[in-house]
Amino acid sequence: MGDVACDNEFSPKQIRIIQDLVLRVVGSDPLKCCHYLIHKVHLLDYHKAKNRYSYLIKMINNDIKNPDDMQ
């Protein structure tokens, strides 16, 4: 799931962490997970995040804590 959406820019360990967090946000539907992750990667591009992994984790954790505020 995550390696394709993220264009293989993260390590396998980072992908597992991202996947676990994404599952907490959108559940286990692969299509929803993929759409969610693609949207977040687009936000990384938009914000020109330098540490893309940390920024992605921060965004996902924010969605976990505040599901009504998801971008």
Side-chain angles (χ1 to χ4, degrees):
M1 165 187 76
D3 54 340
V4 175
C6 297
D7 197 25
N8 297 313
E9 72 179 275
F10 303 123
S11 73
K13 181 180 179 181
Q14 290 173 323
I15 292 294
R16 283 191 297 278
I17 292 168
I18 292 166
Q19 286 175 333
D20 289 344
L21 292 173
V22 169
L23 289 171
R24 291 178 59 190
V25 176
V26 297
S28 60
D29 181 319
L31 189 58
K32 286 182 181 178
C33 289
C34 189
H35 283 281
Y36 174 83
L37 191 54
I38 289 170
H39 174 70
K40 292 302 179 187
V41 169
H42 285 263
L43 287 174
L44 289 175
D45 294 340
Y46 176 78
H47 292 289
K48 296 180 172 80
K50 293 189 192 287
N51 188 334
R52 292 170 61 84
Y53 175 73
S54 293
Y55 198 86
L56 178 60
I57 295 298
K58 181 179 175 181
M59 287 191 297
I60 297 170
N61 278 324
N62 186 56
D63 290 344
I64 291 169
K65 294 175 187 170
N66 305 297
D68 294 334
D69 295 342
M70 287 195 330
Q71 294 184 17

